[in-house]
Amino acid sequence: MNFIALFCSRPRIRFPPTDDNGATATVIARVLPEYRRRGLGTRLYERARDQARALDAQVIETVVLASNPDGLRFAEQHGFTEVERYLLRDDDTVPWIDLRLT
């Protein structure tokens, strides 16, 4: 029996909605490098995106570390565009990138 290690967070809806974007869902799909390029991430992402829409999310976002070019490319190929870069802590050197589905 073969097992594949995957990670997909359930959509997290932020409430209350803001004036400019309504309820926002954060969707994250991660696949170990050795299992990438097989369509697994796309299936995970599409399932999480569909769940977010079922929860009436008005905006769907994801977050990727700037040091993860594969994750950034995946997000962009699935219609996300960068909206913000930031460091979580003062001693961080690699920014997080927030992307929004367009």
Side-chain angles (χ1 to χ4, degrees):
M1 183 179 275
N2 294 326
F3 292 96
I4 298 175
L6 303 170
F7 169 79
C8 183
S9 69
R10 295 187 61 177
R12 180 177 55 106
I13 304 291
R14 291 191 303 224
F15 288 104
T18 60
D19 291 337
D20 64 334
N21 68 7
T24 299
T26 301
V27 173
I28 300 171
R30 293 189 181 122
V31 177
L32 293 173
E34 60 267 30
Y35 296 104
R36 293 180 184 160
R37 316 264 334 140
R38 301 179 192 190
L40 300 170
T42 296
R43 289 196 302 255
L44 286 170
Y45 157 70
E46 288 172 349
R47 182 175 176 149
R49 179 204 59 207
D50 292 346
Q51 288 176 340
R53 287 181 175 157
L55 293 169
D56 294 325
Q58 302 300 307
V59 174
I60 299 176
E61 295 181 338
T62 193
V63 62
V64 179
L65 267 172
S67 60
N68 180 0
D70 290 339
L72 188 56
R73 185 172 35 258
F74 177 88
E76 290 170 342
Q77 288 173 348
H78 287 84
F80 287 86
T81 57
E82 182 176 332
V83 294
E84 182 180 14
R85 286 180 183 239
Y86 55 91
L87 299 174
L88 287 178
R89 297 182 306 247
D90 290 336
D91 60 340
D92 283 348
T93 58
V94 179
W96 290 92
I97 305 171
D98 281 348
L99 300 107
R100 185 168 290 170
L101 188 61
T102 55

